[in-house]
Amino acid sequence: MKTQQAQLPASYRAWVSTGSEQPLDLVLKQQALPDLADDEVLIKNYAIGLNPVDWKVLSSQQGQVVGVDGAGVVVAVGTQVDVALLGCRVAYHQNLQAQGSFAEYTPVKAYALLKLPDELSWSQAAAIPCPALTAWQAIGKIPVQTDAEILIAGAGGSVGHFLVQFAAQRGFQVTASCHPRHWQRLHGLGATRCIADPVQADQSLHLSKKFYAVLDMVGSQHAEALSDAVLANGHLLCIQGRVATWICSPFGRAISLHEVALGALHQHGTLAQWQALTQVGEQIFMAIATGELQAEVPLLQARFAELPQQLQALKHRNFSGKQVIQMDDKQNFSELRGQNDSIIYALST
């Protein structure tokens, strides 16, 4: 393993799953610094993004460091990795089957790295990979049809924040369904219309309009209920789970059914697919840096010791904004954090 001149510690702190589905059952442990695979780098994390997937998979990750999103500096490289990456500012989306981002250090495949523009802070960068790349994959599955009307269900969250923008940029007329507290923000991002959830507690649909595409971020039953709102030859896309059985009769409305799973590339993706994804990710970072794309605000920042409480708050979400954990290495954080952390909020749980 090749490293920088600076000596790395023998161990580091990490939040590890006990196999419980409860975020508050995470345990802070000392982990031995890993031996890198030939195609890996070691990231010293300066910020960690929290995502719903982090609490949803806890019970299947016993003994594993949790977390998918992080941002930091490359401090060591494997034998097949260009040493020019040492010292680079990067963000990443981690494989759920690998040691995660809820740690001071994370080993990451070099091909998954997203280089950061200087204008983005650590916190801004860590907040982006999972939601923005998921939204990008989702909108890419819907053939562009200018002025076609689409419904984005559950649009108030982080994925919806980017998905509304990507859809509007492609010329779709976007109806967003979510809690009213998100409507003003989503209108500003390009939603033509905002409505309350059209699927009621009885899972019946209360919506007279039909859409070229429905993109659902609520759940499989919710998506299935919305299938009646899809036009003939239209599209139903599921981001949270997927519809278990086909949703219309053969040779009926001929709806196309899509699923989105960003993590699929970690298991099945080719190097060419990763190169395409990281190129998109870096373009997204640059678009945010230049103001072409709007990042989610406010950033709700907390310290590393508060991570389980923040993940618990996300599980029972009743707030707007994006949670980011700041690593509490104060000296290095102040030196490397970037220029744009102008909005800092405390999240009460």
Side-chain angles (χ1 to χ4, degrees), residues 56-69:
K56 291 179 180 180
V57 301
L58 285 178
S59 62
S60 65
Q61 291 186 307
Q62 184 173 1
Q64 185 176 323
V65 180
V66 186
V68 293
D69 279 356

Side-chain angles (χ1 to χ4, degrees), residues 54-244:
D54 298 327
W55 62 261
K56 291 179 180 180
V57 301
L58 285 178
S59 62
S60 65
Q61 291 186 307
Q62 184 173 1
Q64 185 176 323
V65 180
V66 186
V68 293
D69 279 356
V73 172
V74 177
V75 295
V77 299
T79 58
Q80 295 180 3
V81 178
D82 189 348
V83 295
L85 283 174
L86 288 170
C88 285
R89 301 175 73 247
V90 297
Y92 59 89
H93 178 272
Q94 178 65 310
N95 185 349
L96 283 170
Q97 297 183 16
Q99 297 303 308
S101 62
F102 290 6
E104 292 176 304
Y105 294 86
T106 302
V108 179
K109 295 295 185 183
Y111 56 70
L113 298 180
L114 305 165
K115 293 182 180 179
L116 302 180
D118 292 339
E119 295 85 353
L120 287 188
S121 70
W122 299 122
S123 295
Q124 289 174 313
I128 293 168
C130 185
L133 293 176
T134 298
W136 182 269
Q137 283 193 340
I139 200 62
K141 296 202 174 201
I142 308 301
V144 174
Q145 192 176 106
T146 303
D147 290 329
E149 296 188 73
I150 69 171
L151 172 66
I152 299 177
S158 297
V159 175
H161 180 90
F162 290 103
L163 188 50
V164 166
Q165 293 180 81
F166 293 151
Q169 288 173 353
R170 283 163 172 75
F172 291 117
Q173 296 297 313
V174 178
T175 294
S177 73
C178 57
H179 192 282
R181 69 173 178 267
H182 303 296
W183 289 358
Q184 183 177 0
R185 171 173 58 90
L186 294 176
H187 276 305
L189 297 176
T192 305
R193 187 165 66 118
C194 293
I195 62 173
D197 185 356
V199 179
Q200 304 303 313
D202 60 3
Q203 293 296 302
S204 62
L205 181 66
H206 299 268
L207 191 67
S208 58
K209 193 175 188 62
K210 291 190 181 293
F211 298 88
Y212 168 66
V214 172
L215 299 88
D216 184 84
M217 289 174 287
V218 179
S220 56
Q221 289 184 329
H222 194 269
E224 186 171 2
L226 284 173
S227 65
D228 287 340
V230 181
L231 289 166
N233 294 311
H235 302 267
L236 178 63
L237 185 143
C238 307
I239 294 176
Q240 296 289 348
R242 68 176 185 178
V243 175

Side-chain angles (χ1 to χ4, degrees), residues 249-294:
S249 59
F251 308 106
R253 283 183 293 143
I255 292 173
S256 296
L257 185 61
H258 308 268
E259 64 177 342
V260 175
L262 181 58
L265 284 187
H266 288 290
Q267 312 308 322
H268 308 289
T270 65
L271 183 58
Q273 286 179 302
W274 273 106
Q275 289 172 338
L277 185 69
T278 55
Q279 182 178 24
V280 165
E282 291 174 357
Q283 289 171 350
I284 289 172
F285 283 136
M286 186 57 67
I288 290 172
T290 60
E292 180 184 349
L293 193 68
Q294 298 302 310

